[in-house]
Amino acid sequence: MANINPARRAEIGREKRARTRAQLVEAANSLFARQAVESVTVDDVVREAGVAKGTFYVHFDSLEALTAAVAEELVQSFDEMLQPGRVSLSEPALRIAFGCRAFIDKALNDSRWAAVAARMTAATPKGGENIRRRLFEDLQQLPTESPEETSAELNLEVVVGIMLQILRALGEGRLSSLNRDAVISAILRAIGLGAQEAESVVERLPTTVPEKSSRAAAN
Amino acid sequence: MANINPARRAEIGREKRARTRAQLVEAANSLFARQAVESVTVDDVVREAGVAKGTFYVHFDSLEALTAAVAEELVQSFDEMLQPGRVSLSEPALRIAFGCRAFIDKALNDSRWAAVAARMTAATPKGGENIRRRLFEDLQQLPTESPEETSAELNLEVVVGIMLQILRALGEGRLSSLNRDAVISAILRAIGLGAQEAESVVERLPTTVPEKSSRAAAN
DNA sequence: AGTCATTTCGACTAATTGGTCAATATGAGA
DNA sequence: TCTCATATTGACCAATTAGTCGAAATGACT
């Protein structure tokens, strides 16, 4: 009948909590992959997660909070993917190409991720702001032949537009036999590099560090 | 107390009907321009249109029906914009460039149209299928230097991706001082044309037929 | 002013949704 | 096996939403 260590109690609680919270985030990801973020309801989420409704509100104040959690997880994965290239590559075009290739690789072996990423940028533009900003800086640093005709603002939209559409296509099962390098080459040509320059950048791109093949075929 | 012509009665009715229906479609356009299609409710529509709820169901069976009507109106505007170029231009690159320029011009002086068009392609992919198909055919006809590396499927996503992102940007007020030709040039380079070829196509593009400046600053 | 086919109106119901909370289940440790 | 801090549960409420329908309004014509 003696009391048990309260600190230990809390730890057990945290573990259980974390598991359930992860279930909810996982369910949201599955739902966001197949329908518009704005059309998902709390009931949808708890049904998908196999959890009672009250449990949802123990972990999140509202759907927006859950959406924010999904967005944060996504931003985290962005940063992890983009980090290695940012620190090691000095040439702007190489950094841009590296980032795009990382996105495409990720999308190629996790189409659900691609679908969710594409949908979330439309629903919560806030999350993507950092990546946009960094890409914009790289585009400004890009050496250009005809500065008066080149606009970093336009190039930003061009790169983002191509990448988002590729993510959407892969997320919907289209373009499954996609040539990574062809996409990157198209992007580089669109932002002003010559065809040979673009090819050169693609060839000089360092081989990706072997990924810890986590969620390859999950769900 | 004599009866009046029943045919005349019907005609009066049709006019009133058409006016109210147009109000509803107009309201839907305004709403779709500022929020996700999936988050718009019937109450939103009738409030925006200044019409009673019952009236909505006289004209449309459901929100989907209204959305379809908006989509059809949009597709109609697409066809009108693209028709002149399709009949008069024999070179595929010219046809593609002409179509893109038409879209950009329209978006530049009707940002609401741009926002709605971008949102609708995500919500009702069915409407855009025809335009996609025609663009795909043009891309297949495009003469290419290295056929083994060129994929019309990829180029389709690239062109659509850039155009959609430009529409979104203009619909959100970004990129308002946009250089039309820079966008078209970027698109042509992305799908494999050389820089000079792209410039040549842009310069050979026929001047747009003077538009009947309809809804320039409406709403 | 009176007629009447047609449209519009808005209060109503049923179903869905967001959000709450007292009751119950859990499970490691004593 | 019993304790108890913590997490989970699902019935419940209030607000919103989709969809219906009889009543009121409209307006060209006589």
Side-chain angles (χ1 to χ4, degrees), chain B residues 9 17 20 52 54-55 59:
Chain B
R9 272 283 161 80
R17 261 184 90 82
T20 306
T55 305
H59 294 272

mmCIF file with all atom_site columns, all heavy atoms in Angstrom, chain B residues 9 17 20 52 54-55 59, chain C residues 4-10:
data_model
loop_
_atom_site.group_PDB
_atom_site.id
_atom_site.type_symbol
_atom_site.label_atom_id
_atom_site.label_alt_id
_atom_site.label_comp_id
_atom_site.label_asym_id
_atom_site.label_entity_id
_atom_site.label_seq_id
_atom_site.pdbx_PDB_ins_code
_atom_site.Cartn_x
_atom_site.Cartn_y
_atom_site.Cartn_z
_atom_site.occupancy
_atom_site.B_iso_or_equiv
_atom_site.pdbx_formal_charge
_atom_site.auth_seq_id
_atom_site.auth_comp_id
_atom_site.auth_asym_id
_atom_site.auth_atom_id
_atom_site.pdbx_PDB_model_num
ATOM 1   N N     . ARG B 1 9  ? -45.124 34.325 -69.964 1.00 0.00 ? 9  ARG B N     1
ATOM 2   C CA    . ARG B 1 9  ? -44.876 34.061 -68.545 1.00 0.00 ? 9  ARG B CA    1
ATOM 3   C C     . ARG B 1 9  ? -43.559 33.322 -68.325 1.00 0.00 ? 9  ARG B C     1
ATOM 4   O O     . ARG B 1 9  ? -42.721 33.698 -67.514 1.00 0.00 ? 9  ARG B O     1
ATOM 5   C CB    . ARG B 1 9  ? -46.010 33.190 -67.971 1.00 0.00 ? 9  ARG B CB    1
ATOM 6   C CG    . ARG B 1 9  ? -47.192 33.931 -67.457 1.00 0.00 ? 9  ARG B CG    1
ATOM 7   C CD    . ARG B 1 9  ? -46.895 34.554 -66.090 1.00 0.00 ? 9  ARG B CD    1
ATOM 8   N NE    . ARG B 1 9  ? -47.822 35.624 -65.766 1.00 0.00 ? 9  ARG B NE    1
ATOM 9   C CZ    . ARG B 1 9  ? -49.032 35.426 -65.293 1.00 0.00 ? 9  ARG B CZ    1
ATOM 10  N NH1   . ARG B 1 9  ? -49.465 34.216 -65.080 1.00 0.00 ? 9  ARG B NH1   1
ATOM 11  N NH2   . ARG B 1 9  ? -49.805 36.455 -65.030 1.00 0.00 ? 9  ARG B NH2   1
ATOM 12  N N     . ARG B 1 17 ? -34.884 33.954 -63.183 1.00 0.00 ? 17 ARG B N     1
ATOM 13  C CA    . ARG B 1 17 ? -34.084 32.788 -62.792 1.00 0.00 ? 17 ARG B CA    1
ATOM 14  C C     . ARG B 1 17 ? -32.627 32.996 -63.120 1.00 0.00 ? 17 ARG B C     1
ATOM 15  O O     . ARG B 1 17 ? -31.753 32.788 -62.295 1.00 0.00 ? 17 ARG B O     1
ATOM 16  C CB    . ARG B 1 17 ? -34.576 31.556 -63.560 1.00 0.00 ? 17 ARG B CB    1
ATOM 17  C CG    . ARG B 1 17 ? -35.491 30.646 -62.824 1.00 0.00 ? 17 ARG B CG    1
ATOM 18  C CD    . ARG B 1 17 ? -35.812 29.440 -63.686 1.00 0.00 ? 17 ARG B CD    1
ATOM 19  N NE    . ARG B 1 17 ? -34.868 28.364 -63.488 1.00 0.00 ? 17 ARG B NE    1
ATOM 20  C CZ    . ARG B 1 17 ? -34.948 27.512 -62.481 1.00 0.00 ? 17 ARG B CZ    1
ATOM 21  N NH1   . ARG B 1 17 ? -35.890 27.636 -61.574 1.00 0.00 ? 17 ARG B NH1   1
ATOM 22  N NH2   . ARG B 1 17 ? -34.074 26.538 -62.342 1.00 0.00 ? 17 ARG B NH2   1
ATOM 23  N N     . THR B 1 20 ? -30.764 35.423 -60.804 1.00 0.00 ? 20 THR B N     1
ATOM 24  C CA    . THR B 1 20 ? -30.458 34.877 -59.479 1.00 0.00 ? 20 THR B CA    1
ATOM 25  C C     . THR B 1 20 ? -29.368 33.813 -59.564 1.00 0.00 ? 20 THR B C     1
ATOM 26  O O     . THR B 1 20 ? -28.452 33.767 -58.738 1.00 0.00 ? 20 THR B O     1
ATOM 27  C CB    . THR B 1 20 ? -31.726 34.282 -58.856 1.00 0.00 ? 20 THR B CB    1
ATOM 28  O OG1   . THR B 1 20 ? -32.753 35.272 -58.861 1.00 0.00 ? 20 THR B OG1   1
ATOM 29  C CG2   . THR B 1 20 ? -31.459 33.849 -57.438 1.00 0.00 ? 20 THR B CG2   1
ATOM 30  N N     . ALA B 1 52 ? -32.047 33.946 -50.199 1.00 0.00 ? 52 ALA B N     1
ATOM 31  C CA    . ALA B 1 52 ? -32.492 32.997 -49.178 1.00 0.00 ? 52 ALA B CA    1
ATOM 32  C C     . ALA B 1 52 ? -31.984 31.595 -49.481 1.00 0.00 ? 52 ALA B C     1
ATOM 33  O O     . ALA B 1 52 ? -31.654 31.258 -50.618 1.00 0.00 ? 52 ALA B O     1
ATOM 34  C CB    . ALA B 1 52 ? -34.007 32.989 -49.096 1.00 0.00 ? 52 ALA B CB    1
ATOM 35  N N     . GLY B 1 54 ? -33.487 28.682 -49.422 1.00 0.00 ? 54 GLY B N     1
ATOM 36  C CA    . GLY B 1 54 ? -34.321 27.883 -50.311 1.00 0.00 ? 54 GLY B CA    1
ATOM 37  C C     . GLY B 1 54 ? -34.053 28.180 -51.771 1.00 0.00 ? 54 GLY B C     1
ATOM 38  O O     . GLY B 1 54 ? -34.127 27.296 -52.632 1.00 0.00 ? 54 GLY B O     1
ATOM 39  N N     . THR B 1 55 ? -33.737 29.450 -52.036 1.00 0.00 ? 55 THR B N     1
ATOM 40  C CA    . THR B 1 55 ? -33.474 29.846 -53.422 1.00 0.00 ? 55 THR B CA    1
ATOM 41  C C     . THR B 1 55 ? -32.298 29.075 -54.008 1.00 0.00 ? 55 THR B C     1
ATOM 42  O O     . THR B 1 55 ? -32.314 28.708 -55.189 1.00 0.00 ? 55 THR B O     1
ATOM 43  C CB    . THR B 1 55 ? -33.178 31.353 -53.492 1.00 0.00 ? 55 THR B CB    1
ATOM 44  O OG1   . THR B 1 55 ? -34.259 32.052 -52.896 1.00 0.00 ? 55 THR B OG1   1
ATOM 45  C CG2   . THR B 1 55 ? -33.012 31.803 -54.922 1.00 0.00 ? 55 THR B CG2   1
ATOM 46  N N     . HIS B 1 59 ? -31.963 26.387 -57.682 1.00 0.00 ? 59 HIS B N     1
ATOM 47  C CA    . HIS B 1 59 ? -31.057 26.482 -58.820 1.00 0.00 ? 59 HIS B CA    1
ATOM 48  C C     . HIS B 1 59 ? -30.023 25.362 -58.877 1.00 0.00 ? 59 HIS B C     1
ATOM 49  O O     . HIS B 1 59 ? -29.574 24.988 -59.957 1.00 0.00 ? 59 HIS B O     1
ATOM 50  C CB    . HIS B 1 59 ? -30.345 27.832 -58.792 1.00 0.00 ? 59 HIS B CB    1
ATOM 51  C CG    . HIS B 1 59 ? -31.262 28.989 -59.001 1.00 0.00 ? 59 HIS B CG    1
ATOM 52  N ND1   . HIS B 1 59 ? -31.566 29.464 -60.242 1.00 0.00 ? 59 HIS B ND1   1
ATOM 53  C CD2   . HIS B 1 59 ? -31.965 29.738 -58.126 1.00 0.00 ? 59 HIS B CD2   1
ATOM 54  C CE1   . HIS B 1 59 ? -32.407 30.478 -60.121 1.00 0.00 ? 59 HIS B CE1   1
ATOM 55  N NE2   . HIS B 1 59 ? -32.672 30.664 -58.846 1.00 0.00 ? 59 HIS B NE2   1
ATOM 56  P P     . DC  C 2 4  ? -56.826 34.176 -62.207 1.00 0.00 ? 4  DC  C P     1
ATOM 57  O OP1   . DC  C 2 4  ? -57.578 33.521 -63.302 1.00 0.00 ? 4  DC  C OP1   1
ATOM 58  O OP2   . DC  C 2 4  ? -57.245 34.039 -60.799 1.00 0.00 ? 4  DC  C OP2   1
ATOM 59  O "O5'" . DC  C 2 4  ? -55.298 33.739 -62.324 1.00 0.00 ? 4  DC  C "O5'" 1
ATOM 60  C "C5'" . DC  C 2 4  ? -54.597 33.919 -63.544 1.00 0.00 ? 4  DC  C "C5'" 1
ATOM 61  C "C4'" . DC  C 2 4  ? -53.130 33.590 -63.346 1.00 0.00 ? 4  DC  C "C4'" 1
ATOM 62  O "O4'" . DC  C 2 4  ? -52.477 34.729 -62.718 1.00 0.00 ? 4  DC  C "O4'" 1
ATOM 63  C "C3'" . DC  C 2 4  ? -52.865 32.396 -62.425 1.00 0.00 ? 4  DC  C "C3'" 1
ATOM 64  O "O3'" . DC  C 2 4  ? -51.775 31.655 -62.941 1.00 0.00 ? 4  DC  C "O3'" 1
ATOM 65  C "C2'" . DC  C 2 4  ? -52.496 33.051 -61.105 1.00 0.00 ? 4  DC  C "C2'" 1
ATOM 66  C "C1'" . DC  C 2 4  ? -51.718 34.255 -61.629 1.00 0.00 ? 4  DC  C "C1'" 1
ATOM 67  N N1    . DC  C 2 4  ? -51.536 35.363 -60.662 1.00 0.00 ? 4  DC  C N1    1
ATOM 68  C C2    . DC  C 2 4  ? -50.531 36.302 -60.891 1.00 0.00 ? 4  DC  C C2    1
ATOM 69  O O2    . DC  C 2 4  ? -49.811 36.191 -61.886 1.00 0.00 ? 4  DC  C O2    1
ATOM 70  N N3    . DC  C 2 4  ? -50.364 37.320 -60.001 1.00 0.00 ? 4  DC  C N3    1
ATOM 71  C C4    . DC  C 2 4  ? -51.165 37.405 -58.934 1.00 0.00 ? 4  DC  C C4    1
ATOM 72  N N4    . DC  C 2 4  ? -50.967 38.420 -58.092 1.00 0.00 ? 4  DC  C N4    1
ATOM 73  C C5    . DC  C 2 4  ? -52.200 36.459 -58.694 1.00 0.00 ? 4  DC  C C5    1
ATOM 74  C C6    . DC  C 2 4  ? -52.352 35.467 -59.578 1.00 0.00 ? 4  DC  C C6    1
ATOM 75  P P     . DA  C 2 5  ? -52.057 30.136 -63.511 1.00 0.00 ? 5  DA  C P     1
ATOM 76  O OP1   . DA  C 2 5  ? -53.038 30.205 -64.593 1.00 0.00 ? 5  DA  C OP1   1
ATOM 77  O OP2   . DA  C 2 5  ? -52.287 29.279 -62.330 1.00 0.00 ? 5  DA  C OP2   1
ATOM 78  O "O5'" . DA  C 2 5  ? -50.633 29.762 -64.133 1.00 0.00 ? 5  DA  C "O5'" 1
ATOM 79  C "C5'" . DA  C 2 5  ? -50.194 30.409 -65.328 1.00 0.00 ? 5  DA  C "C5'" 1
ATOM 80  C "C4'" . DA  C 2 5  ? -48.743 30.823 -65.202 1.00 0.00 ? 5  DA  C "C4'" 1
ATOM 81  O "O4'" . DA  C 2 5  ? -48.630 31.877 -64.196 1.00 0.00 ? 5  DA  C "O4'" 1
ATOM 82  C "C3'" . DA  C 2 5  ? -47.794 29.704 -64.756 1.00 0.00 ? 5  DA  C "C3'" 1
ATOM 83  O "O3'" . DA  C 2 5  ? -46.623 29.803 -65.562 1.00 0.00 ? 5  DA  C "O3'" 1
ATOM 84  C "C2'" . DA  C 2 5  ? -47.493 30.018 -63.295 1.00 0.00 ? 5  DA  C "C2'" 1
ATOM 85  C "C1'" . DA  C 2 5  ? -47.605 31.534 -63.263 1.00 0.00 ? 5  DA  C "C1'" 1
ATOM 86  N N9    . DA  C 2 5  ? -48.033 32.089 -61.973 1.00 0.00 ? 5  DA  C N9    1
ATOM 87  C C8    . DA  C 2 5  ? -49.008 31.593 -61.153 1.00 0.00 ? 5  DA  C C8    1
ATOM 88  N N7    . DA  C 2 5  ? -49.191 32.310 -60.063 1.00 0.00 ? 5  DA  C N7    1
ATOM 89  C C5    . DA  C 2 5  ? -48.280 33.336 -60.181 1.00 0.00 ? 5  DA  C C5    1
ATOM 90  C C6    . DA  C 2 5  ? -47.970 34.436 -59.359 1.00 0.00 ? 5  DA  C C6    1
ATOM 91  N N6    . DA  C 2 5  ? -48.583 34.677 -58.198 1.00 0.00 ? 5  DA  C N6    1
ATOM 92  N N1    . DA  C 2 5  ? -47.005 35.271 -59.784 1.00 0.00 ? 5  DA  C N1    1
ATOM 93  C C2    . DA  C 2 5  ? -46.383 35.031 -60.938 1.00 0.00 ? 5  DA  C C2    1
ATOM 94  N N3    . DA  C 2 5  ? -46.593 34.034 -61.799 1.00 0.00 ? 5  DA  C N3    1
ATOM 95  C C4    . DA  C 2 5  ? -47.560 33.220 -61.356 1.00 0.00 ? 5  DA  C C4    1
ATOM 96  P P     . DT  C 2 6  ? -45.452 28.684 -65.446 1.00 0.00 ? 6  DT  C P     1
ATOM 97  O OP1   . DT  C 2 6  ? -44.850 28.538 -66.792 1.00 0.00 ? 6  DT  C OP1   1
ATOM 98  O OP2   . DT  C 2 6  ? -46.007 27.519 -64.710 1.00 0.00 ? 6  DT  C OP2   1
ATOM 99  O "O5'" . DT  C 2 6  ? -44.364 29.373 -64.503 1.00 0.00 ? 6  DT  C "O5'" 1
ATOM 100 C "C5'" . DT  C 2 6  ? -43.811 30.626 -64.870 1.00 0.00 ? 6  DT  C "C5'" 1
ATOM 101 C "C4'" . DT  C 2 6  ? -43.076 31.220 -63.706 1.00 0.00 ? 6  DT  C "C4'" 1
ATOM 102 O "O4'" . DT  C 2 6  ? -44.024 31.671 -62.699 1.00 0.00 ? 6  DT  C "O4'" 1
ATOM 103 C "C3'" . DT  C 2 6  ? -42.153 30.257 -62.964 1.00 0.00 ? 6  DT  C "C3'" 1
ATOM 104 O "O3'" . DT  C 2 6  ? -40.798 30.580 -63.267 1.00 0.00 ? 6  DT  C "O3'" 1
ATOM 105 C "C2'" . DT  C 2 6  ? -42.467 30.465 -61.489 1.00 0.00 ? 6  DT  C "C2'" 1
ATOM 106 C "C1'" . DT  C 2 6  ? -43.320 31.723 -61.491 1.00 0.00 ? 6  DT  C "C1'" 1
ATOM 107 N N1    . DT  C 2 6  ? -44.292 31.752 -60.372 1.00 0.00 ? 6  DT  C N1    1
ATOM 108 C C2    . DT  C 2 6  ? -44.228 32.788 -59.481 1.00 0.00 ? 6  DT  C C2    1
ATOM 109 O O2    . DT  C 2 6  ? -43.428 33.691 -59.566 1.00 0.00 ? 6  DT  C O2    1
ATOM 110 N N3    . DT  C 2 6  ? -45.154 32.729 -58.467 1.00 0.00 ? 6  DT  C N3    1
ATOM 111 C C4    . DT  C 2 6  ? -46.113 31.751 -58.265 1.00 0.00 ? 6  DT  C C4    1
ATOM 112 O O4    . DT  C 2 6  ? -46.891 31.820 -57.316 1.00 0.00 ? 6  DT  C O4    1
ATOM 113 C C5    . DT  C 2 6  ? -46.105 30.681 -59.240 1.00 0.00 ? 6  DT  C C5    1
ATOM 114 C C7    . DT  C 2 6  ? -47.093 29.564 -59.115 1.00 0.00 ? 6  DT  C C7    1
ATOM 115 C C6    . DT  C 2 6  ? -45.213 30.733 -60.235 1.00 0.00 ? 6  DT  C C6    1
ATOM 116 P P     . DT  C 2 7  ? -39.565 29.859 -62.502 1.00 0.00 ? 7  DT  C P     1
ATOM 117 O OP1   . DT  C 2 7  ? -38.437 29.780 -63.435 1.00 0.00 ? 7  DT  C OP1   1
ATOM 118 O OP2   . DT  C 2 7  ? -40.096 28.641 -61.839 1.00 0.00 ? 7  DT  C OP2   1
ATOM 119 O "O5'" . DT  C 2 7  ? -39.209 30.918 -61.367 1.00 0.00 ? 7  DT  C "O5'" 1
ATOM 120 C "C5'" . DT  C 2 7  ? -39.131 32.291 -61.708 1.00 0.00 ? 7  DT  C "C5'" 1
ATOM 121 C "C4'" . DT  C 2 7  ? -38.923 33.116 -60.461 1.00 0.00 ? 7  DT  C "C4'" 1
ATOM 122 O "O4'" . DT  C 2 7  ? -40.118 33.067 -59.633 1.00 0.00 ? 7  DT  C "O4'" 1
ATOM 123 C "C3'" . DT  C 2 7  ? -37.770 32.627 -59.581 1.00 0.00 ? 7  DT  C "C3'" 1
ATOM 124 O "O3'" . DT  C 2 7  ? -36.948 33.726 -59.256 1.00 0.00 ? 7  DT  C "O3'" 1
ATOM 125 C "C2'" . DT  C 2 7  ? -38.456 32.024 -58.366 1.00 0.00 ? 7  DT  C "C2'" 1
ATOM 126 C "C1'" . DT  C 2 7  ? -39.746 32.836 -58.288 1.00 0.00 ? 7  DT  C "C1'" 1
ATOM 127 N N1    . DT  C 2 7  ? -40.867 32.116 -57.625 1.00 0.00 ? 7  DT  C N1    1
ATOM 128 C C2    . DT  C 2 7  ? -41.490 32.697 -56.544 1.00 0.00 ? 7  DT  C C2    1
ATOM 129 O O2    . DT  C 2 7  ? -41.163 33.771 -56.076 1.00 0.00 ? 7  DT  C O2    1
ATOM 130 N N3    . DT  C 2 7  ? -42.516 31.957 -56.012 1.00 0.00 ? 7  DT  C N3    1
ATOM 131 C C4    . DT  C 2 7  ? -42.977 30.727 -56.446 1.00 0.00 ? 7  DT  C C4    1
ATOM 132 O O4    . DT  C 2 7  ? -43.905 30.163 -55.890 1.00 0.00 ? 7  DT  C O4    1
ATOM 133 C C5    . DT  C 2 7  ? -42.276 30.181 -57.581 1.00 0.00 ? 7  DT  C C5    1
ATOM 134 C C7    . DT  C 2 7  ? -42.685 28.846 -58.128 1.00 0.00 ? 7  DT  C C7    1
ATOM 135 C C6    . DT  C 2 7  ? -41.272 30.894 -58.112 1.00 0.00 ? 7  DT  C C6    1
ATOM 136 P P     . DT  C 2 8  ? -35.597 33.522 -58.369 1.00 0.00 ? 8  DT  C P     1
ATOM 137 O OP1   . DT  C 2 8  ? -34.608 34.501 -58.824 1.00 0.00 ? 8  DT  C OP1   1
ATOM 138 O OP2   . DT  C 2 8  ? -35.286 32.086 -58.350 1.00 0.00 ? 8  DT  C OP2   1
ATOM 139 O "O5'" . DT  C 2 8  ? -36.084 33.942 -56.900 1.00 0.00 ? 8  DT  C "O5'" 1
ATOM 140 C "C5'" . DT  C 2 8  ? -36.676 35.215 -56.716 1.00 0.00 ? 8  DT  C "C5'" 1
ATOM 141 C "C4'" . DT  C 2 8  ? -37.188 35.346 -55.297 1.00 0.00 ? 8  DT  C "C4'" 1
ATOM 142 O "O4'" . DT  C 2 8  ? -38.287 34.420 -55.099 1.00 0.00 ? 8  DT  C "O4'" 1
ATOM 143 C "C3'" . DT  C 2 8  ? -36.151 35.021 -54.208 1.00 0.00 ? 8  DT  C "C3'" 1
ATOM 144 O "O3'" . DT  C 2 8  ? -36.049 36.131 -53.340 1.00 0.00 ? 8  DT  C "O3'" 1
ATOM 145 C "C2'" . DT  C 2 8  ? -36.702 33.777 -53.526 1.00 0.00 ? 8  DT  C "C2'" 1
ATOM 146 C "C1'" . DT  C 2 8  ? -38.202 33.877 -53.793 1.00 0.00 ? 8  DT  C "C1'" 1
ATOM 147 N N1    . DT  C 2 8  ? -38.926 32.579 -53.817 1.00 0.00 ? 8  DT  C N1    1
ATOM 148 C C2    . DT  C 2 8  ? -39.989 32.390 -52.961 1.00 0.00 ? 8  DT  C C2    1
ATOM 149 O O2    . DT  C 2 8  ? -40.373 33.229 -52.172 1.00 0.00 ? 8  DT  C O2    1
ATOM 150 N N3    . DT  C 2 8  ? -40.599 31.150 -53.072 1.00 0.00 ? 8  DT  C N3    1
ATOM 151 C C4    . DT  C 2 8  ? -40.266 30.128 -53.930 1.00 0.00 ? 8  DT  C C4    1
ATOM 152 O O4    . DT  C 2 8  ? -40.883 29.066 -53.942 1.00 0.00 ? 8  DT  C O4    1
ATOM 153 C C5    . DT  C 2 8  ? -39.135 30.401 -54.805 1.00 0.00 ? 8  DT  C C5    1
ATOM 154 C C7    . DT  C 2 8  ? -38.674 29.351 -55.768 1.00 0.00 ? 8  DT  C C7    1
ATOM 155 C C6    . DT  C 2 8  ? -38.531 31.595 -54.696 1.00 0.00 ? 8  DT  C C6    1
ATOM 156 P P     . DC  C 2 9  ? -34.939 36.159 -52.174 1.00 0.00 ? 9  DC  C P     1
ATOM 157 O OP1   . DC  C 2 9  ? -34.510 37.554 -51.995 1.00 0.00 ? 9  DC  C OP1   1
ATOM 158 O OP2   . DC  C 2 9  ? -33.967 35.101 -52.494 1.00 0.00 ? 9  DC  C OP2   1
ATOM 159 O "O5'" . DC  C 2 9  ? -35.766 35.729 -50.893 1.00 0.00 ? 9  DC  C "O5'" 1
ATOM 160 C "C5'" . DC  C 2 9  ? -36.974 36.429 -50.600 1.00 0.00 ? 9  DC  C "C5'" 1
ATOM 161 C "C4'" . DC  C 2 9  ? -37.736 35.739 -49.497 1.00 0.00 ? 9  DC  C "C4'" 1
ATOM 162 O "O4'" . DC  C 2 9  ? -38.284 34.510 -50.010 1.00 0.00 ? 9  DC  C "O4'" 1
ATOM 163 C "C3'" . DC  C 2 9  ? -36.893 35.372 -48.279 1.00 0.00 ? 9  DC  C "C3'" 1
ATOM 164 O "O3'" . DC  C 2 9  ? -37.341 36.113 -47.165 1.00 0.00 ? 9  DC  C "O3'" 1
ATOM 165 C "C2'" . DC  C 2 9  ? -37.092 33.867 -48.116 1.00 0.00 ? 9  DC  C "C2'" 1
ATOM 166 C "C1'" . DC  C 2 9  ? -38.331 33.584 -48.954 1.00 0.00 ? 9  DC  C "C1'" 1
ATOM 167 N N1    . DC  C 2 9  ? -38.346 32.219 -49.579 1.00 0.00 ? 9  DC  C N1    1
ATOM 168 C C2    . DC  C 2 9  ? -39.284 31.270 -49.188 1.00 0.00 ? 9  DC  C C2    1
ATOM 169 O O2    . DC  C 2 9  ? -40.082 31.560 -48.292 1.00 0.00 ? 9  DC  C O2    1
ATOM 170 N N3    . DC  C 2 9  ? -39.285 30.061 -49.775 1.00 0.00 ? 9  DC  C N3    1
ATOM 171 C C4    . DC  C 2 9  ? -38.404 29.776 -50.746 1.00 0.00 ? 9  DC  C C4    1
ATOM 172 N N4    . DC  C 2 9  ? -38.445 28.569 -51.308 1.00 0.00 ? 9  DC  C N4    1
ATOM 173 C C5    . DC  C 2 9  ? -37.441 30.733 -51.174 1.00 0.00 ? 9  DC  C C5    1
ATOM 174 C C6    . DC  C 2 9  ? -37.440 31.925 -50.575 1.00 0.00 ? 9  DC  C C6    1
ATOM 175 P P     . DG  C 2 10 ? -36.258 36.544 -46.010 1.00 0.00 ? 10 DG  C P     1
ATOM 176 O OP1   . DG  C 2 10 ? -36.664 37.879 -45.512 1.00 0.00 ? 10 DG  C OP1   1
ATOM 177 O OP2   . DG  C 2 10 ? -34.895 36.325 -46.547 1.00 0.00 ? 10 DG  C OP2   1
ATOM 178 O "O5'" . DG  C 2 10 ? -36.515 35.486 -44.845 1.00 0.00 ? 10 DG  C "O5'" 1
ATOM 179 C "C5'" . DG  C 2 10 ? -37.832 35.298 -44.382 1.00 0.00 ? 10 DG  C "C5'" 1
ATOM 180 C "C4'" . DG  C 2 10 ? -37.948 33.960 -43.677 1.00 0.00 ? 10 DG  C "C4'" 1
ATOM 181 O "O4'" . DG  C 2 10 ? -37.995 32.906 -44.666 1.00 0.00 ? 10 DG  C "O4'" 1
ATOM 182 C "C3'" . DG  C 2 10 ? -36.763 33.610 -42.760 1.00 0.00 ? 10 DG  C "C3'" 1
ATOM 183 O "O3'" . DG  C 2 10 ? -37.249 32.887 -41.646 1.00 0.00 ? 10 DG  C "O3'" 1
ATOM 184 C "C2'" . DG  C 2 10 ? -35.935 32.686 -43.628 1.00 0.00 ? 10 DG  C "C2'" 1
ATOM 185 C "C1'" . DG  C 2 10 ? -37.068 31.915 -44.281 1.00 0.00 ? 10 DG  C "C1'" 1
ATOM 186 N N9    . DG  C 2 10 ? -36.697 31.142 -45.451 1.00 0.00 ? 10 DG  C N9    1
ATOM 187 C C8    . DG  C 2 10 ? -35.612 31.336 -46.278 1.00 0.00 ? 10 DG  C C8    1
ATOM 188 N N7    . DG  C 2 10 ? -35.545 30.473 -47.254 1.00 0.00 ? 10 DG  C N7    1
ATOM 189 C C5    . DG  C 2 10 ? -36.649 29.655 -47.062 1.00 0.00 ? 10 DG  C C5    1
ATOM 190 C C6    . DG  C 2 10 ? -37.092 28.537 -47.799 1.00 0.00 ? 10 DG  C C6    1
ATOM 191 O O6    . DG  C 2 10 ? -36.595 28.038 -48.804 1.00 0.00 ? 10 DG  C O6    1
ATOM 192 N N1    . DG  C 2 10 ? -38.267 27.996 -47.257 1.00 0.00 ? 10 DG  C N1    1
ATOM 193 C C2    . DG  C 2 10 ? -38.909 28.470 -46.147 1.00 0.00 ? 10 DG  C C2    1
ATOM 194 N N2    . DG  C 2 10 ? -40.007 27.824 -45.770 1.00 0.00 ? 10 DG  C N2    1
ATOM 195 N N3    . DG  C 2 10 ? -38.493 29.515 -45.446 1.00 0.00 ? 10 DG  C N3    1
ATOM 196 C C4    . DG  C 2 10 ? -37.362 30.051 -45.961 1.00 0.00 ? 10 DG  C C4    1
#
